[in-house]
Amino acid sequence: MALTVSELWIYPIKSLGGIAISQAAVLPKGIAFDRRWMLVDADNKFMTQRVQHRMALFSLSHAPGGFTIKYHKEQIFLPAVSQSNPFAAVIWNDTVEVMEVSDEHNQWFSRILGITCKLVRFPENNSRPVEAGYVINNEQVSLADAYPLLIVGQNSLDDLNSRMKIPLPMNRFRPNIVFTGGEPYEEDKWHHFSIGEARFAGVKPCARCAITTIDQQTAQAGKEPLATLATYRQKNNKVLFGQNLLVTEAGEIKIGDRIILEKEIT
């Protein structure tokens, strides 16, 4: 069976809800609008579902000129472009230059989450290099954890779910690209491949964290899927699921595109 793109996702604000899309502009830092915003705390450090589980309950959707953010019956508009004075924020071990979206957004999120925080934007031209040991041509990343994109095979999830008492949806793994066809976990071996107009490089399987244990509809945390994955997908004390990608050539991709493999990891 041919390898075919079946889902495309963006997560405009890091650790908040995703948006399913039918086609995507792949830019050097990843899909356009994917993780170009994040919430930071009073110390200007990034915020995540790992700590603030309720971040899962914010949903986003496209709106003219930007996005609509909803939390239960409340909502606020997020403009695609906003300008303010830049300042430094910390994401993992990186210090990046960001801009506040607005006081209104800061107050809205702070009130709902019960913690002083700010919504910030990471302009497209700002620098955040990919970790040196994994670059091919000085690639950059947005506000994703470490790499521009994540790809997961539907058969990989199906195999995992066949081992579990209660199956889980793909949204637990927050992929950008989902594909059908092929063997479970074969994305682990992909090195160079193309989709539509874009080309990618697989750099390392994704080490999964506690976010995968958080139900994206209820924000309740459990033990799965990490408990099951640890029984057969653990290496060097890390649980692996999905493949991290670099963008080697930008371009348009869409659901239904074939994935053309060029080189596997040896």
Side-chain angles (χ1 to χ4, degrees), residues 131 134 145-147 149-152 156 173 185-191 201-209 229 232-246 265-266:
E131 186 178 350
Y134 296 97
D145 278 352
Y147 302 96
L149 294 103
L150 175 71
I151 190 168
V152 177
S156 301
F173 300 96
Y185 316 108
E186 78 161 60
E187 58 268 30
D188 291 357
K189 303 181 293 182
W190 295 358
H191 191 22
V203 288
K204 66 191 293 284
C206 184
R208 306 315 305 222
C209 69
L229 283 170
Y232 74 107
R233 291 285 297 172
Q234 186 165 265
K235 184 177 181 181
N236 298 326
N237 294 318
K238 294 181 178 180
V239 173
L240 307 176
F241 192 86
Q243 174 76 309
N244 290 304
L245 305 181
L246 301 179
I265 294 173
T266 57

Side-chain angles (χ1 to χ4, degrees), residues 23 47 58 85 90 136 144 187 191 199 265:
Q23 59 186 32
M47 292 170 55
F58 290 88
N85 292 328
V90 175
I136 295 174
E187 58 268 30
H191 191 22
R199 296 183 70 245
I265 294 173

Side-chain angles (χ1 to χ4, degrees), residues 13-16 35 37-56 58 89-92 105-106 108-120 143-145 174 211:
I13 303 175
K14 183 177 181 64
S15 250
L16 270 58
R35 297 172 174 99
W37 292 266
M38 67 179 176
L39 290 169
V40 299
D41 63 17
D43 296 319
N44 292 331
K45 293 182 179 179
F46 82 108
M47 292 170 55
T48 167
Q49 278 187 45
R50 296 168 184 85
V51 178
Q52 298 288 337
H53 295 351
R54 283 196 300 144
M55 290 172 69
F58 290 88
V90 175
I91 172 172
W92 295 114
H105 289 83
N106 298 346
W108 192 76
F109 278 104
S110 296
R111 174 176 55 80
I112 291 172
L113 290 171
I115 181 174
T116 299
C117 59
K118 292 180 284 192
L119 180 65
V120 300
L143 298 174
D145 278 352
R174 301 175 68 82
I211 285 182

Side-chain angles (χ1 to χ4, degrees), residues 17-29:
I19 301 174
I21 57 177
S22 59
Q23 59 186 32
V26 178
L27 306 177
K29 284 189 173 77

Side-chain angles (χ1 to χ4, degrees), residues 162-181:
S162 73
R163 302 165 188 264
M164 295 178 48
K165 293 180 180 178
I166 301 175
L168 296 178
M170 186 66 81
N171 67 9
R172 288 291 187 97
F173 300 96
R174 301 175 68 82
N176 295 111
I177 303 171
V178 180
F179 68 93
T180 55

